[in-house]
Amino acid sequence: MFHLLPKNITAKYKQSVLIEYGLLLAVGMVTLVMWKYERHDPVLLHLYYVPVVLTGFILGSYRARFMALFCILSATVVLIPGTIRPLTQSLPDNLVPTYCVWTATIMLVAILVGKLSDGWRDALETLRKEHQKDVLTDPLTGIANRRAYEFELNRRVNQRERDGTPVTLVILDIDQFKKLNDRFGHPAGDAVLKGVADVLQATIRKSDLAARHGGEEFSIILPGISLSEAKDVAERIRTLIESRRFTYNELTLRTTVSIGFAQFQPDDDLDSLTRRADAALYSAKEAGRNCVYFHDGRSCRHQGAGFVASPDSLVSKGHLSTTFLEAYADETTGLPGKRVLLEELRRRAAERSRYGTELVLALVRVNYFALTPISQIHARKSLLAKTASLVCSQLRETDLVVRYGNDTFGVLMPSTTLQGASVPLERICAQATIYCDSQYPGLSYSVSIGVAEVSRNEKPNSTISNADVALQIAVARVIGCVEYFQAAGTDVLTASTSTTNEHREEFASGFTSETLPKV
């Protein structure tokens, strides 16, 4: 029977066809009995209900209606005089009305049973898909989980062995994720995990698979692309995550990832491919994190323009942090560190020299940070976090805010003049003076801001020095003011916000924040 069917159909479809053929045979046998023995008892018509109900229950509404029509046609051929041969005996008087009622009834039964069967099977299919989604999807990030990853990797490796389709395995790990979790809590960590998963989903193709491998580790399977294309994908993911800001409540978090990848080679198997990708990932971490490494079968090589340095070279002096996490994501405020500002300032200054794009640098000093007792460590951290949130809330998405020093924030404002920068900066000063924290009712502060405009062909160090000069004048002159360094000369323009004598007296008491430990 099945030799007439296409060869690529499934076993389930073959089973459905077999059931339908069997039910059609049953209808034919009932019809044959009525025709051969000329039995016209209306009770025999009820035998046709059995194949119709079974068809609707097993095969659905469409097949049930077809079976009902076939039954009606078969009964008509037997019962209507002269369709096949003349009848040798007269028909019962009540056969015609009974036949009409039976025709309408069997069609109604086919429709009802078929509809119920379709609804039941749709519900089962929905449950099956939901169960499959729960089994193969990570509940937090919404991407594939480790089980789906292992299944897909095994399938792609088998495909590679069959037809030679290249397959690349990428493994990435969020840098210093445990410290981020411990500092800001698991909900903030979950927000970062979701954000990283969103970046992966937006970057890869539909034929690729991104999965959460476990904890802060993700895996990506890239079939059918060359090695150079895989390198571009890995570097693009690293760059996007580095530049992405993840928000949670009032925090703006920033993180980086280390990436290692390997492409399947003729002498590879599933385990060796995974080991090589893991080795590349560990090489990226040992090189300073936030970079991409590739395992070529013999050794690990650096790819792209990520941060590569020995661990000893990460330790710096002054306000620069001594760990990678503090350099790229401050633990207290969730902002990037001074290193990020310096890198961005160099890039923006080059654009300024090349295209003439306006650029403004501002340094924001928290004046009363020093007056908060060192023993009240939580109050000091709350003050810094609140200041960071205030500064970010008044600026544009394109502006960069970093933790520049112990009590100082840096702000880089592209495509902005001094006049345009004055509005949000003076608003920051005004709102800082009215700050009130219900948890720490005695905590108050103000900010002083020094602003400098980047001139064409001006070195970044000169811009920083100009902004620092304006900041020192702002701190010494009036509490809670903004000082603007003129790019054309050495004069400083002053725009003061309202302050109180009480604030001035407190600040004049001689406290300094330079000797305080960093929070």
Side-chain angles (χ1 to χ4, degrees):
M1 179 184 298
F2 294 122
H3 70 280
L4 300 176
L5 300 175
K7 294 182 179 181
N8 59 347
I9 63 175
T10 62
K12 185 176 181 181
Y13 181 77
K14 290 182 179 181
Q15 184 180 9
S16 300
V17 171
L18 180 61
I19 293 173
E20 187 172 15
Y21 284 171
L23 294 174
L24 289 174
L25 182 60
V27 173
M29 292 180 64
V30 173
T31 304
L32 182 62
V33 170
M34 295 179 63
W35 175 73
K36 186 174 180 59
Y37 298 100
E38 299 186 5
R39 296 295 304 273
H40 306 121
D41 189 348
V43 176
L44 294 177
L45 293 175
H46 299 316
L47 293 177
Y48 287 107
Y49 285 112
V50 176
V52 171
V53 172
L54 291 177
T55 303
F57 183 76
I58 300 174
L59 302 178
S61 176
Y62 175 77
R63 293 294 185 182
R65 291 196 295 268
F66 170 77
M67 184 63 70
L69 291 174
F70 182 70
C71 291
I72 293 172
L73 178 61
S74 300
T76 302
V77 169
V78 174
L79 296 180
I80 300 300
T83 54
I84 296 181
R85 63 181 181 183
L87 295 176
T88 58
Q89 59 183 8
S90 61
L91 296 173
D93 295 336
N94 62 342
L95 181 60
V96 174
T98 302
Y99 173 78
C100 294
V101 174
W102 170 83
T103 300
T105 304
I106 196 171
M107 184 58 70
L108 181 61
V109 168
I111 294 174
L112 291 178
V113 174
K115 290 292 185 181
L116 292 175
S117 176
D118 289 345
W120 171 69
R121 286 188 296 175
D122 289 344
L124 286 181
E125 182 66 16
T126 301
L127 290 175
R128 186 190 67 81
K129 289 182 178 180
E130 290 180 353
H131 176 69
Q132 184 180 19
K133 182 179 179 180
D134 292 340
V135 172
L136 301 178
T137 304
D138 179 65
L140 175 62
T141 60
I143 63 176
N145 60 10
R146 181 162 186 166
R147 177 178 296 182
Y149 153 78
E150 292 175 347
F151 175 81
E152 180 68 8
L153 182 60
N154 185 68
R155 187 175 75 88
R156 291 299 183 179
V157 168
N158 291 336
Q159 181 185 12
R160 166 66 174 77
E161 294 174 347
R162 286 195 311 270
D163 54 24
T165 302
V167 56
T168 304
L169 175 61
V170 181
I171 301 178
L172 61 94
D173 189 87
I174 300 177
D175 297 327
Q176 302 287 3
F177 183 75
K178 184 178 184 304
K179 295 186 70 174
L180 186 147
N181 245 351
D182 294 341
R183 188 62 188 166
F184 300 108
H186 290 285
D190 291 345
V192 172
L193 289 173
K194 294 177 183 177
V196 170
D198 291 341
V199 172
L200 299 183
Q201 286 290 80
T203 306
I204 63 175
R205 306 166 301 171
K206 291 184 178 180
S207 59
D208 304 330
L209 177 73
R212 186 184 175 194
H213 204 245
E216 68 272 19
E217 190 172 287
F218 294 82
S219 300
I220 306 172
I221 301 173
L222 304 174
I225 65 174
S226 64
L227 183 58
S228 61
E229 291 173 326
K231 294 176 182 178
D232 293 339
V233 171
E235 177 61 20
R236 184 163 64 251
I237 290 173
R238 185 201 66 79
T239 305
L240 289 174
I241 294 177
E242 181 185 17
S243 61
R244 178 78 175 266
R245 296 180 182 180
F246 307 97
T247 57
Y248 172 72
N249 289 343
E250 295 184 353
L251 292 175
T252 300
L253 305 175
R254 182 176 180 176
T255 189
T256 59
V257 293
S258 300
I259 301 179
F261 70 97
Q263 192 168 67
F264 194 90
Q265 297 182 351
D267 57 346
D268 265 332
D269 56 22
L270 194 148
D271 292 335
S272 63
L273 176 64
T274 304
R275 284 196 301 270
R276 291 198 296 115
D278 272 331
L281 174 62
Y282 287 126
S283 296
K285 287 184 171 295
E286 292 174 358
R289 299 183 174 91
N290 189 30
C291 58
V292 179
Y293 266 73
F294 162 66
H295 197 292
D296 60 2
R298 295 182 300 273
S299 62
C300 298
R301 300 181 179 180
H302 173 245
Q303 304 293 332
F307 183 85
V308 182
S310 63
D312 293 338
S313 67
L314 294 176
V315 180
S316 54
K317 298 179 180 181
H319 293 298
L320 283 180
S321 304
T322 58
T323 67
F324 178 82
L325 176 64
E326 292 171 350
Y328 283 90
D330 179 66
E331 293 185 2
T332 302
T333 62
L335 297 175
K338 182 177 180 179
R339 187 189 303 273
V340 176
L341 177 68
L342 297 178
E343 293 176 354
E344 187 69 7
L345 179 59
R346 293 190 188 99
R347 187 177 71 86
R348 293 288 187 178
E351 292 181 357
R352 165 71 168 148
S353 300
R354 189 177 302 114
Y355 306 114
T357 307
E358 301 291 342
L359 182 63
V360 172
L361 173 66
L363 297 180
V364 181
R365 171 74 61 82
V366 183
N367 293 321
Y368 292 110
F369 180 76
L371 300 181
T372 306
I374 300 177
S375 59
Q376 296 185 10
I377 186 68
H378 294 291
R380 292 161 61 85
K381 291 178 179 178
S382 176
L383 182 58
L384 287 174
K386 186 66 179 180
T387 305
S389 177
L390 170 61
V391 174
C392 292
S393 67
Q394 300 301 320
L395 299 177
R396 303 166 301 174
E397 185 68 24
T398 55
D399 298 333
L400 175 65
V401 183
V402 304
R403 175 110 181 253
Y404 188 80
N406 194 23
D407 56 355
T408 307
F409 297 91
V411 179
L412 195 61
M413 307 174 70
S415 303
T416 304
T417 62
L418 284 178
Q419 183 177 2
S422 64
V423 177
L425 294 178
E426 292 176 14
R427 191 184 302 124
I428 291 172
C429 280
Q431 294 192 13
T433 58
I434 60 175
Y435 168 74
C436 181
D437 193 331
S438 59
Q439 186 176 2
Y440 304 100
L443 184 63
S444 62
Y445 78 109
S446 68
V447 297
S448 297
I449 303 177
V451 189
E453 188 174 22
V454 180
S455 301
R456 273 198 168 187
N457 302 320
E458 183 180 37
K459 295 182 178 180
N461 290 339
S462 299
T463 305
I464 294 175
S465 299
N466 294 339
D468 189 62
V469 169
L471 176 62
Q472 298 303 325
I473 295 176
V475 171
R477 181 174 294 178
V478 180
I479 298 303
C481 71
V482 184
E483 301 288 343
Y484 302 91
F485 190 96
Q486 288 184 328
T490 57
D491 295 334
V492 178
L493 301 177
T494 304
S496 301
T497 61
S498 59
T499 56
T500 63
N501 292 330
E502 180 182 359
H503 285 170
R504 294 190 180 93
E505 292 172 1
E506 289 178 354
F507 186 75
S509 60
F511 286 91
T512 175
S513 62
E514 297 297 331
T515 59
L516 296 178
K518 184 174 180 179
V519 177

